[in-house]
Amino acid sequence: MEIDLTLNEDDVTFEAARSDTLLDVLRDNGYTGAKRGCDTGDCGFCTVLVDGEPVKSCIRPSRQVEGSDVETIENLGTQDDLSPVQAAFVDNAALQCGFCIPGMIMRSKALLEENPDPDEAEIRDALSENLCRCTGYEKIIDAVRDASTRLDGEAVAADGGCPPADGAPGCGCREEGFDG
């Protein structure tokens, strides 16, 4: 059967078997950013956005995305030009093996589009369906907070320091009367 959809802003048609999942179709057609983990929807490694909502592509039948707008990690940025969310994950050392990261980033993107300034509890709740077997999640939480700031257009120091404020050198604390 043929499936017509918008994938990463391009109208595409894919051949698929009735039993294929969205993950099968994506990976069979070269979109390997979404990872195959559990095949049961438990790990979230395969998370993509369908009509703006995070979806576990390993359990979504491909025929259910007919006519949908699907976005994968491949649409966010390139190695030389990362999206703000991707850059925040890198700069905050929020990845170790990297296997879960595409799903984490896609779910984080959806969260930040819905809630541009989430608190820690909201971030943890949003990411609760995505597992990471390497980190303790703290750096991932930090990365989502950082991405929230970057999406607001504020400058953020990649070294963990304070961003410059109104052109002040260093951490910007001098404007507050501190020596920085």
Side-chain angles (χ1 to χ4, degrees):
M1 71 180 183
E2 287 187 345
I3 298 172
D4 295 313
L5 55 102
T6 302
L7 177 62
N8 298 335
E9 302 174 20
D10 293 324
D11 293 332
V12 296
T13 300
F14 292 129
E15 282 294 324
R18 290 190 63 71
S19 60
D20 282 348
T21 64
L22 175 56
L23 181 61
D24 295 328
V25 170
L26 291 172
R27 293 186 65 82
D28 288 349
N29 287 282
Y31 297 88
T32 57
K35 303 303 180 202
R36 185 177 303 281
C38 64
D39 273 336
T40 60
D42 292 324
C43 70
F45 296 174
C46 64
T47 302
V48 299
L49 303 183
V50 176
D51 296 327
E53 296 296 318
V55 167
K56 295 173 184 173
S57 62
C58 74
I59 57 172
R60 177 64 55 104
S62 61
R63 64 187 174 277
Q64 287 185 359
V65 298
E66 174 74 32
S68 295
D69 183 8
V70 177
E71 184 175 19
T72 67
I73 191 85
E74 287 92 348
N75 197 47
L76 266 59
T78 65
Q79 190 72 27
D80 296 327
D81 185 25
L82 298 174
S83 75
V85 179
Q86 290 170 309
F89 270 72
V90 171
D91 291 346
N92 284 276
L95 35 89
Q96 287 184 16
C97 82
F99 204 72
C100 71
I101 295 305
M104 285 281 187
I105 288 174
M106 295 308 291
R107 192 167 293 273
S108 297
K109 180 181 186 290
L111 165 66
L112 294 171
E113 286 177 354
E114 180 180 318
N115 180 357
D117 190 26
D119 62 27
E120 182 175 342
E122 292 167 323
I123 295 168
R124 286 184 181 277
D125 183 57
L127 297 180
S128 66
E129 294 188 39
N130 288 63
L131 300 178
C132 177
R133 294 186 174 120
C134 297
T135 70
Y137 294 96
E138 291 306 316
K139 292 183 181 213
I140 292 171
I141 303 301
D142 292 344
V144 176
R145 283 188 187 134
D146 184 359
S148 171
T149 303
R150 291 173 191 229
L151 291 169
D152 271 349
E154 295 180 22
V156 177
D159 65 358
C162 297
D166 295 330
C171 66
C173 294
R174 291 193 175 127
E175 286 187 357
E176 300 298 324
F178 299 107
D179 289 334

